Amino acid sequence: TYTDIENKFNIPIVDPEAATANGFLIAYPKLLGKMCKNLVKTCETSYDNGVTSTTNIYDYELDKDGYVTKVTESHTDSETQYFYSYVWE
């Protein structure tokens, strides 16, 4: 699902493990193509390691012009809850 917040910077939502390996794509998100008009609110994903589904919840902090300065992602797999934060300065 999506928020009612406009995605002004084309922020990609990626798996944090992939983000670590592919930080270049986070720095230059437009290389991934056209992004969603609004920011993602929740996302369901599946993994090959036996975890069939997880729900990611995204919270955003915006500057006075409506650009994202921080994204906090939380998700829970079958055993653990995870939190990741991305900050733009």
Side-chain angles (χ1 to χ4, degrees):
T1 61
Y2 297 93
T3 67
D4 59 353
I5 303 168
E6 182 182 356
N7 187 359
K8 291 185 175 186
F9 184 64
N10 284 340
I11 293 175
I13 299 300
V14 293
D15 184 322
E17 292 176 9
T20 302
N22 298 302
F24 182 79
L25 293 178
I26 291 178
Y28 302 98
K30 292 182 181 181
L31 294 175
L32 296 172
K34 187 174 179 177
M35 298 293 169
C36 300
K37 179 181 177 184
N38 291 0
L39 296 172
V40 174
K41 182 176 182 178
T42 61
C43 178
E44 293 183 18
T45 55
S46 296
Y47 297 99
D48 294 333
N49 64 356
V51 177
T52 56
S53 165
T54 184
T55 300
N56 295 300
I57 301 169
Y58 301 93
D59 292 310
Y60 300 93
E61 291 180 21
L62 308 173
D63 68 10
K64 64 180 175 63
D65 297 318
Y67 287 90
V68 173
T69 58
K70 182 177 180 181
V71 178
T72 302
E73 173 189 351
S74 62
H75 73 272
T76 305
D77 65 20
S78 58
E79 301 174 3
T80 309
Q81 186 168 17
Y82 299 92
F83 294 93
Y84 301 97
S85 291
Y86 305 94
V87 179
W88 287 263
E89 296 180 352

